[in-house]
Amino acid sequence: MSSHRLFGRQLSRDSEHRMAMRRNLVQSLFEHGKVRTTLPKAQEVKAMAEKLITLARTGTLNARRRVISILQDRRLTDKEQEFTGKTVVQKLFEEIAPNFATRPGGYTRIIKLSDFRIGDGGSLVLLQLLTEQAAPRGTIRRSAGRRRKRTERRHQFASRIMKKAKSEAPAADKPAESALASAE
């Protein structure tokens, strides 16, 4: 059997089950904005979701029909499991795609989680849609390594010595370099 022009992961499923699983995960991603799953599934779903968002950005009737044929549209529910009157494709075209109108790609991200599935120990990830991010809050956390601390102490020490040397230089006959050598 030849393996030419085959792509994607099998994920231990037959093709119908694999397509249904991918379709359901993409619909859940569009509905909730994030999905918790395993890494191989997330990578497959990410590729499919990004293609659908790119298709939905055009907003044409043909694009809508193509997305419906791939997703096989389902209705959205609220927290009380009541139907909202909207479908996943409507949400994709009206809310999600306009948010990414200026973005040239990369609409989703995969974040590896620290926990594992209880049954088989599979590593879990969080696949989420990117939203426009505000300016970063706070400052950058600096590493507390020994080398960095040592260099910072050396720089602080050198700056103190230079200040002392500048203040003493006009009063004393010694140049600033000799003050540095004697301080160490």
Side-chain angles (χ1 to χ4, degrees):
M1 181 171 170
S2 149
S3 62
H4 296 294
R5 296 185 58 135
L6 294 179
F7 67 95
R9 294 168 181 83
Q10 285 190 349
L11 301 172
S12 300
R13 290 160 173 80
D14 59 358
S15 51
E16 292 87 11
H17 186 188
R18 191 169 45 248
M19 277 303 295
M21 181 213 50
R22 211 177 312 162
R23 184 181 310 122
N24 286 329
L25 279 172
V26 168
Q27 287 176 351
S28 295
L29 176 67
F30 291 156
E31 184 175 355
H32 302 291
K34 58 185 174 182
V35 175
R36 193 172 156 212
T37 183
T38 60
L39 183 62
K41 287 182 195 173
Q43 289 171 338
E44 285 292 308
V45 169
K46 179 178 180 171
M48 184 175 180
E50 296 206 1
K51 287 175 187 168
L52 290 174
I53 293 172
T54 303
L55 191 59
R57 282 178 49 191
T58 62
T60 61
L61 178 63
N62 187 38
R64 185 178 292 264
R65 287 177 177 167
R66 285 177 61 191
V67 168
I68 290 172
S69 73
I70 293 170
L71 278 188
Q72 296 179 357
D73 207 5
R74 73 176 182 202
R75 297 187 291 176
L76 296 176
T77 58
D78 57 7
K79 292 185 179 184
E80 290 82 28
Q81 297 300 316
E82 298 293 326
F83 291 117
T84 60
K86 287 181 80 174
T87 63
V88 173
V89 173
Q90 285 175 334
K91 183 173 182 178
L92 173 63
F93 276 83
E94 294 169 7
E95 298 173 20
I96 297 171
N99 288 343
F100 298 119
T102 58
R103 192 177 183 95
Y107 314 115
T108 59
R109 71 172 154 213
I110 296 175
I111 301 170
K112 293 185 179 180
L113 301 176
S114 61
D115 50 343
F116 297 91
R117 244 186 345 218
I118 293 173
D120 61 353
S123 60
L124 295 174
V125 298
L126 186 70
L127 173 67
Q128 61 183 199
L129 290 172
L130 290 178
T131 56
E132 293 304 319
Q133 298 171 355
R137 295 177 281 164
T139 60
I140 299 173
R141 184 169 111 22
R142 297 186 73 183
S143 172
R146 286 185 194 163
R147 185 179 297 165
R148 184 169 301 213
K149 283 182 182 177
R150 193 179 318 133
T151 355
E152 285 177 4
R153 276 188 266 144
R154 283 182 186 162
H155 285 292
Q156 289 171 355
F157 179 74
S159 64
R160 279 188 301 217
I161 296 299
M162 290 301 288
K163 285 179 185 176
K164 284 183 185 177
K166 286 181 182 177
S167 63
E168 294 175 2
D173 294 332
K174 294 190 282 183
E177 289 83 352
S178 62
L180 280 175
S182 64
E184 292 180 7

